[in-house]
Amino acid sequence: MPIAFSQGFTPHPKISYASAAPTGVGSEAEYLEIGLQAPVDPGQLQVALDAALSPGLDILDAVIAPEGSGSLADRIDASRWLIELPQVEPEVADRAVQAFLAAPEVPVERLTKQGMRSFDARNPVAFFAVTKESDAPSGANAAPCAIIDLVVRQVTPAVRPDDVLSGLRVVAGLEPPVPPRVTRLAQGSLTPQGEIVDPLDADREGAPIGGR
Amino acid sequence: MSVESVFPKLEQLLPRVSKPIQYVGGELGAVVKDWDATIVRWALMYPDAYEVGLPNQGVQILYEVLNEQPDVLAERTYAVWPDLEALMKENGVPQFTVDAHRPVKAFDVLGLSFATELGYTNMLSALDLAGIPLDSAERTEDHPIVLAGGHASFNPEPIADFIDAAVLGDGEEAVLEITGIIREWKAEGCPGGRDELLLRLARTESIYVPRFYDVDYLSDGRIQRVVPNRPDVPFRVNKRTTMDLDAWPYPKKPLVPLAETVHERYAVEIFRGCTRGCRFCQAGMITRPVRERSITTVGQMVKEGLEFSGFSEVGLLSLSSADHSEIGDMCSGLAEQYADTNVSLSLPSTRVDAFNIDLAQELSRNGRRTGLTFAPEGGSERIRKVINKMVTEEDLIRTVVTAYSNGWRQVKLYFMCGLPTETDEDVLQIGRMAHEVIRAGRAAAGTKDIRCTVSIGGFVPKPHTPFQWAPMERPEVIDNRLRLLKQEINSDRSLGRAIGYRYHDGEPSLIEGLLSRGDRRVGKVIRRVWDKGGRFDGWSEHFSYTRWVEACAEVLPDFGVDLDWYTTREREQLEVLPWDHLDSGLDKDWLWQDWQDSMSEYEQDDCRWTPCFDCGVCPSMDTEIQIGPTGKKLLPLTPIGGLRVPTSAHTH
């Protein structure tokens, strides 16, 4: 692929990731922008990248970013997350979520490269609920498992699913006995109805203006 | 019987460990095959962390050679860090391969590549996690054959209790021959069990099976003899030599790591072997003769390797790359080829002469002249004669000054401390030389903005070298010399400011010395250290000198020997050395003569350019020097660029 490189002493390939998911978190919706030296058919690009990427990293779609269409980051302001809490009763999780939502703010702490930072995990949360289905995740037999649907707005500093989970500990003392499993389901712009619009929609042929 | 992936169990542990990406596999170039569709299955281990092990050339070559066989499966496993090791034990997750996360115990062979002896404790951790008995005598048909390779396997005696077999020398053909023996034995229904398989391996005369040899000791602790304990195995085991490197152009599909590793580049060996004759250099002694890869094969490998991997750096590797008979054309040809790309070329050569700078200049056409490295190895001309590193002080200073006048601002100089016959004076000379380099460099470059880094490694005498008889210096003497050198460098503040100083303490070298020249009794020390938590001995944050010294004090007196006996003691000509029954091709009398020449400061030429001096390798191993020039030039290759789809990146 004729990837473009930055200028300077040590040129880097022009790739920018829009709010990449943290390590240890699954994702079905990661987006990146690539700078190319020459036009490439998006379909061919998709096939070429897919062939070189690791199993489980699949390129689902590629579009051409038209001149002046703004950066990818401008089209992403929220993420939807699926959180599985094995060995946690859904009712227990539900009570914690309700307590979280009822709090005006939920201060949490996280160790960052700059040291321990303190911030509010409540305000960026747009939607937070324990889902009705009580399906146990694959591999776990009959053990209880709470499943949470979470939509978080992208703010600075970023509030990640683990911060929201820390918030559950703060407001309700919820401490999952095994590490939670988190998957990002979608990223994009958040409509007033609470839907997340795929940031590539605007550039797809025949896509309605303003999202689906 | 198929084998289940341990990944579902492992995955739950990964959020709790550092750098979890190193354990997930899935690299470009990784191969995953259907277990049941294969007959012979290899787990290849580099017994260090993934970040060090993944770039290893040897493992990558064998991985590809084996996986090209339709009925053979090869996967990789690395040492897991103590945080994951503890969790794996707690949760019953066994040592796994990163490719398909299969348990190592299920494979036919666990092949370990020992570039250094400091990986021995990591081998024990891996065996333990895998559920394979540490003691080879306790293994059954349910366990893999534990096979050692790499340079350290030229004396595998310290790990003789833990391994089933060892291969000396080049692995390409050896792994295929071993595969053939296992394939046949399995097809026959595994007659005679494990013992019969090991016997078939031993009968090749180039695979060492320690259990078939007994070691007798004299009352003073020295070895009396090492002899076969059964009639059908050879008295001496030969090393392997892969001739015609053009016929083995691996790696073709280099692994591209997802996690950060120590080298991220496409590395091509441009030749194997070295006859420069540096007396401390085990690699140069045990890999003879010199076998060059031709300029055209190197060009083709670089083209295909870059296209497959997308790496933007190419390393032209060997023990002394500037010595390739076609190196000038190779460097200018490749530089031309990749002039307008983001591919950078490097030649990690350490030859101290102006030609080296010409080459470096070719490779840095785009104007990036970050640093150049030279390895005079010894500070005084006297000590350089002892080690047979033939370069005069005048030459060295002239070379470095040429580098500064050609635009390089940073030069690195490699030395060793603790060399045979070394005095404080020899080491202090390094400081005076560095001063002179800066003084002359400033004058020539017309600027004060130049730097030189002096980097000192500890000398460790190795088997199959003229220094195999040499006494090691004590760590406190080494550390004192390093202190004196620092004072010497800083004795002139103006010059000293331009000189960087890096060194290693003497203690780890002493333990490396114990393991390098140890015998089977040292295995008990390794076991004791591992039992007490010894892991990752090549990492200063994990290495514990005290633990090794204490283990020696607990174990060795029963045998009437001690740590000093193995390290600081000089051996006599007639002493039976633990590796005498392992044949590197070098004539022991020649090695002894070279040791004597060393002490009389008498130098030895290179047989590529002067007549044969009878080191013994070519006639005894039926090999010959293979060098060019071939007279060919690099073919005009298709320029990099345009869209391309990598072929068969993964098999799922």
Side-chain angles (χ1 to χ4, degrees), chain B residues 287-300:
Chain B
T287 61
R288 296 174 175 203
V290 171
R291 291 145 288 149
E292 287 187 354
R293 191 166 262 152
S294 69
I295 181 170
T296 41
T297 303
V298 170
Q300 194 66 24

Side-chain angles (χ1 to χ4, degrees), chain A residues 31-34 36 40-43 45-46 59-66 72 75 198-205:
Chain A
Y31 294 86
L32 59 125
E33 275 173 301
I34 301 176
L36 298 168
V40 171
D41 174 65
L45 176 102
Q46 185 187 336
I59 303 289
L60 302 179
D61 201 0
V63 299
I64 294 170
L72 186 55
R75 300 181 184 187
D198 183 336
L200 302 192
D201 269 0
D203 298 322
R204 287 200 180 92
E205 266 183 60

Side-chain angles (χ1 to χ4, degrees), chain A:
Chain A
M1 252 205 329
I3 188 105
F5 283 82
S6 63
Q7 301 296 307
F9 193 68
T10 46
H12 287 288
K14 285 194 171 171
I15 302 176
S16 59
Y17 297 86
S19 57
T23 300
V25 165
S27 180
E28 297 178 2
E30 294 300 296
Y31 294 86
L32 59 125
E33 275 173 301
I34 301 176
L36 298 168
Q37 296 168 16
V40 171
D41 174 65
Q44 273 185 292
L45 176 102
Q46 185 187 336
V47 172
L49 278 181
D50 229 6
L53 281 171
S54 304
L57 291 180
D58 301 319
I59 303 289
L60 302 179
D61 201 0
V63 299
I64 294 170
E67 204 80 46
S69 63
S71 81
L72 186 55
D74 295 339
R75 300 181 184 187
I76 295 178
D77 52 29
S79 280
R80 162 160 273 131
W81 305 90
L82 175 82
I83 302 175
E84 295 169 300
L85 300 173
Q87 298 175 37
V88 174
E89 294 290 348
E91 300 75 45
V92 174
D94 190 50
R95 277 196 294 279
V97 167
Q98 294 312 324
F100 183 97
L101 289 171
E105 64 174 27
V106 181
V108 296
E109 287 191 322
R110 177 168 22 109
L111 191 61
T112 69
K113 279 176 192 154
Q114 287 78 39
M116 195 58 92
R117 289 196 72 161
S118 214
F119 48 91
D120 174 32
R122 171 63 189 89
N123 187 52
V125 171
F127 182 81
F128 196 12
V130 175
T131 58
K132 293 285 173 285
E133 323 90 90
S134 59
D135 294 341
S138 54
N141 39 7
C145 179
I147 297 173
I148 291 175
D149 184 7
L150 171 70
V151 177
V152 186
R153 281 191 215 91
Q154 266 156 30
V155 291
T156 310
V159 169
R160 311 186 311 200
D162 53 325
D163 300 320
V164 176
L165 290 169
S166 302
L168 293 183
R169 191 178 62 240
V170 171
V171 296
L174 181 73
E175 304 237 21
V178 297
R181 272 172 293 198
V182 181
T183 309
R184 173 185 262 161
L185 297 179
Q187 285 194 83
S189 55
L190 189 63
T191 67
Q193 293 75 35
E195 292 293 311
I196 288 183
V197 180
D198 183 336
L200 302 192
D201 269 0
D203 298 322
R204 287 200 180 92
E205 266 183 60
I209 290 168
R212 54 191 161 191

Side-chain angles (χ1 to χ4, degrees), chain B residues 408-428:
Chain B
W408 269 275
R409 289 287 168 267
Q410 167 79 38
V411 168
K412 222 186 263 179
L413 300 174
Y414 279 161
F415 298 92
M416 274 187 285
C417 185
L419 290 162
T421 76
E422 180 184 280
T423 62
D424 292 356
E425 191 52 32
D426 292 313
V427 174
L428 288 175

Side-chain angles (χ1 to χ4, degrees), chain B residues 172-200:
Chain B
E172 289 96 337
E173 289 159 295
V175 293
L176 293 180
E177 187 178 347
I178 293 167
T179 297
I181 290 170
I182 296 174
R183 185 191 282 124
E184 196 170 301
W185 174 74
K186 280 184 146 186
E188 291 168 21
C190 309
R194 197 178 179 83
D195 200 60
E196 167 72 15
L197 177 57
L198 290 172
L199 182 60
R200 290 186 187 188

Side-chain angles (χ1 to χ4, degrees), chain B residues 44 65 91 148 172 255 308 391 407 469-470 488:
Chain B
L44 299 175
V65 165
N91 292 275
E172 289 96 337
L255 290 157
F308 176 82
V391 52
W469 291 279
E488 175 67 29

